[in-house]
């Protein structure tokens, strides 16, 4: 999914893409060999888009310090990027001398898979084996690290390494649930009862953003609650035929449209961004938010009320995967330094820090995670992973599908499109993008 987009929207603002791009080009011209600044031999150029107070942002800042301590004379030239900047310019930048040595990039067929197919990423397979990174990643997490010749994830060469995992969950405001004497939403009936009660009391229960990923993930989760692993493999990995009018997709579209009619989802959320959805939960306006673990550290840091989480009730599957990838551009100048940095982010020291700051580490010591909220986050992930419940994200299968899902799901919210028409539009866009075999 555009988890990179999700995460950058979960932050409290970034510089404009134009300003950042101008700054990055200036830094590139100053930092390259012969540019009058630090030479490539003494610099690791690193791009990522994590908020400074997110679990990953904190952990990677620590990793930079550790890297520089282990590499005397080598400086990390870090540039914070927005998702949109990297998404829109990556093919152009990675095909030039301005490419960084290492960058965070979104995983999936439509993103990392597409770049690997275009020959813009370094094959990391030998390094993965040499450094033992493959042994640290569970099968479900490593799926998005490998891509075949067609850029389809799950097999082939290693083009990226995640050092964290992510998944979606139901966030709920315990204080509002207690005020209305509601049970915590551990079953689907509990969830529906809570939404009915809030709606009856003129409170829109579900935080939502129609202009970005949140709305489409509600639809996908509803479909997943009526699906199984073979359904996911058909949709995401093309291991079978996807029918957008099957029982799962039909239930999802019908139920989502019904929830809008019942007032569970506000029609005014059509143009809302993901940040708006997160803020409405943080401000105590929306009692429930279904979204990802990328919010967790921020909610720990900023929430002024008691809140809890649960996996989506009544479903073995939920959106989730390994985290965004460390990728090494094919044209990177200092690949060995990039590999060393990845190795540090996979170390126990950094993994334990990431875990205690509200992230989902892939190689931490369980005993080293002492924060109660963080332990709950990781325990729920282990439950999900243990039942093979990571179902990736709805926009991953084909390039451009994210924008289709956004625009079509907006129509479901406004009522300008009926569920059947919505599913027809998804089918048309999906079928156009599926690789022809």
């Amino acid at each position: 999914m555009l988890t990179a987009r999700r995460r950058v929207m979960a932050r409290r603002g970034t510089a404009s893409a134009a300003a950042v791009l101008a700054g990055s080009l200036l830094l590139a011209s100053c930092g390259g060999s012969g540019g009058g600044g630090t030479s490539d031999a003494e610099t690791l150029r690193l791009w990522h888009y994590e908020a400074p107070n997110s679990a990953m942002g904190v952990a990677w800042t620590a990793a930079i310090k550790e890297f520089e301590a282990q590499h005397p004379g080598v400086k990390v030239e870090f540039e914070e990027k927005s998702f949109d900047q990297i998404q829109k310019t990556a093919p152009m930048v990675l095909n030039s001398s301005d490419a960084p040595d290492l960058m965070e990039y979104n995983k999936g067929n439509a993103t990392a898979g597409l770049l690997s197919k275009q020959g813009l990423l370094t094959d990391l397979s030998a390094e993965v084996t040499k450094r033992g990174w493959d042994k640290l990643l569970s099968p479900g997490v490593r799926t998005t690290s490998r891509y075949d010749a067609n850029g389809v994830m799950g097999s082939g060469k290693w083009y990226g390494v995640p050092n964290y995992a992510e998944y979606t969950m139901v966030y709920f405001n315990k204080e509002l649930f207690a005020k209305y004497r509601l049970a915590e939403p551990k079953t689907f009936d509990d969830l529906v009862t809570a939404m009915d009660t809030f709606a009856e009391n003129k409170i829109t229960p579900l935080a939502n953003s129609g202009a970005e990923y949140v709305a489409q993930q509600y639809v996908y989760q509803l479909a997943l609650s009526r699906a199984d692993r073979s359904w996911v493999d058909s949709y995401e990995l093309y291991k079978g035929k996807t029918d957008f009018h099957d029982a799962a997709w039909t239930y999802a579209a019908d139920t989502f449209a019904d929830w809008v009619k019942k007032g569970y989802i506000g029609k005014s959320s059509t143009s809302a961004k993901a940040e708006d959805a997160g803020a409405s939960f943080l401000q105590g306006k929306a009692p429930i938010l279904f979204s990802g673990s990328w919010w967790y550290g921020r909610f720990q840091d900023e929430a002024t009320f008691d809140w809890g989480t649960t996996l989506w009730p009544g479903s073995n599957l939920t959106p989730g995967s390994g985290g965004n990838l460390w990728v090494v551009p094919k044209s990177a100048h200092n690949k060995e330094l990039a590999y060393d940095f990845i190795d540090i982010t996979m170390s126990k020291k950094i993994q334990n820090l990431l875990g205690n700051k509200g992230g989902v580490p892939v190689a931490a010591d369980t005993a080293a995670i002492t924060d109660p909220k963080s332990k709950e986050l990781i325990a729920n992930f282990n439950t999900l992973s243990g039942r093979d419940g990571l179902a990736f994200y709805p926009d991953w299968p084909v390039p451009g599908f994210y924008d289709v899902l956004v625009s079509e799901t907006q129509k479901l919210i406004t009522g300008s499109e009926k569920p059947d028409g919505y599913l027809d539009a998804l089918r048309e866009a999906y079928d156009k993008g599926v690789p022809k075999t």
Side-chain angles (χ1 to χ4, degrees), residues 165-179:
E166 60 183 40
Y167 67 101
T168 52
M169 68 199 82
V170 176
Y171 293 90
F172 60 96
N173 185 322
K174 288 187 174 183
E175 294 179 13
L176 283 175
F177 270 70
K179 178 180 178 179

Side-chain angles (χ1 to χ4, degrees), residues 169-172 186 296 307-311 373 376 380:
M169 68 199 82
V170 176
Y171 293 90
F172 60 96
K186 301 298 184 183
Y296 207 89
W307 55 276
T309 65
T310 184
L311 295 174
K373 281 280 191 189
E376 177 185 331
N380 279 339

Side-chain angles (χ1 to χ4, degrees), residues 3-4 7 46-50 60 86 102-109 111-113 115-116 121 124 137 141-147 153 157-164 166 321-329 342 345 396:
T3 47
R7 189 156 300 104
L46 168 66
W47 293 2
H48 76 66
Y49 37 74
E50 302 297 338
W60 296 351
I86 289 183
L102 178 66
M103 75 176 192
E104 179 187 13
Y105 197 65
N106 193 26
K107 69 280 186 195
N109 302 343
T111 46
L115 292 190
S116 71
L121 301 180
L124 303 176
L137 302 176
V141 170
R142 77 169 72 112
T143 297
T144 56
S145 299
R146 302 172 63 197
Y147 297 87
M153 64 184 180
K157 299 175 180 178
W158 287 73
Y159 285 101
V161 179
N163 75 320
Y164 67 99
E166 60 183 40
S321 70
N324 289 315
L325 303 172
W326 287 126
V327 299
V328 178
I342 295 172
T345 68
W396 278 14

Side-chain angles (χ1 to χ4, degrees), residues 234-266:
S234 294
Y235 177 65
E236 299 278 0
L237 303 176
Y238 325 129
K239 292 184 177 180
K241 179 67 175 175
T242 290
D243 176 7
F244 281 92
H245 287 276
D246 65 9
W249 278 114
T250 300
Y251 167 76
D254 286 345
T255 302
F256 185 86
D258 184 54
W259 283 7
V260 174
K261 291 177 184 177
K262 289 179 175 177
Y264 299 171
I265 293 170

